[in-house]
Amino acid sequence: VSSPCQAADPLTVTRVVDGDTLLLANGERVRLIGVDTPETKHPKKPVEYFGKEASAFTKKEIEGQAIRLEYDVQRKDKYGRTLAYVYRSSDDFFLNAEIIKQGYGHAYTRFPFKYLDEFRAYEKEAREQGRGLWG
C-alpha cells in the first residue's frame, strides 16, 4: 500500500471541465477525490440541477490558480484521470472540502478515502443549513 504523497511542483489549473474535474497546464486531467458534483458535460446525461453553479464555483475558486495535489491510495481512475485532493497554493483553500461544505456537490462515498468521515459531516451540515443544491 502506498502512502498518500504530495506533488512538489506548483501546478496550474488551465480549465475547469466541470465541478469535479480540472485540466492542468501540463495536460493532466484531475478528478477530485470524494466529491461528486451535478453533471454538466456528461455525453449521455443532460445538465443536472445545480451543475452550472457547481462548475462556476470551481472555476471561480481555482481556474488559472497554482495548486498543489495530494494523493490517496488510488492514483488514477478507470478513465486515466489523476485522482487527487486539490489545494489552492496561495492560501491552502481545500477545494474538495469546500465544494461539499458549500453545497455544490455530494460526498462521493462509494470508495473509501482519507477524508470520508469529514466529507460526510460537511454534506450533512450543508443539507441541514440548506446550502447550495440543498437550498
Side-chain angles (χ1 to χ4, degrees):
V1 178
S2 67
S3 65
C5 66
Q6 296 173 345
D9 302 339
L11 300 161
T12 306
V13 177
T14 50
R15 189 164 70 85
V16 169
V17 178
D18 67 11
D20 53 32
T21 308
L22 315 171
L23 196 61
L24 305 185
N26 65 5
E28 200 172 356
R29 199 173 269 261
V30 176
R31 173 69 170 81
L32 303 179
I33 297 172
V35 178
D36 191 27
T37 60
E39 293 294 344
T40 59
K41 299 281 201 279
H42 196 284
K44 298 183 178 81
K45 292 182 184 170
V47 172
E48 292 176 349
Y49 171 72
F50 225 72
K52 287 196 184 324
E53 292 84 346
S55 285
F57 173 78
T58 301
K59 192 174 271 198
K60 174 176 75 82
E61 294 298 344
I62 216 88
E63 199 168 76
Q65 300 283 323
I67 57 164
R68 86 183 155 76
L69 301 177
E70 181 188 345
Y71 306 104
D72 213 319
V73 179
Q74 194 181 339
R75 285 287 290 265
K76 297 270 184 188
D77 69 6
K78 65 182 179 187
Y79 306 108
R81 298 176 297 189
T82 299
L83 298 170
Y85 302 107
V86 174
Y87 297 86
R88 193 166 50 208
S89 298
S90 60
D91 58 3
D92 240 19
F93 175 89
F94 185 10
L95 180 63
N96 309 49
E98 287 301 320
I99 287 171
I100 297 167
K101 280 182 184 175
Q102 298 191 34
Y104 289 104
H106 304 259
Y108 186 66
T109 57
R110 198 200 247 138
F111 305 104
F113 61 96
K114 189 160 86 176
Y115 301 110
L116 182 89
D117 294 338
E118 291 94 325
F119 283 19
R120 273 199 177 123
Y122 298 154
E123 182 179 318
K124 182 176 184 282
E125 189 181 306
R127 282 177 190 259
E128 287 167 358
Q129 303 288 321
R131 284 191 210 121
L133 58 92
W134 314 118

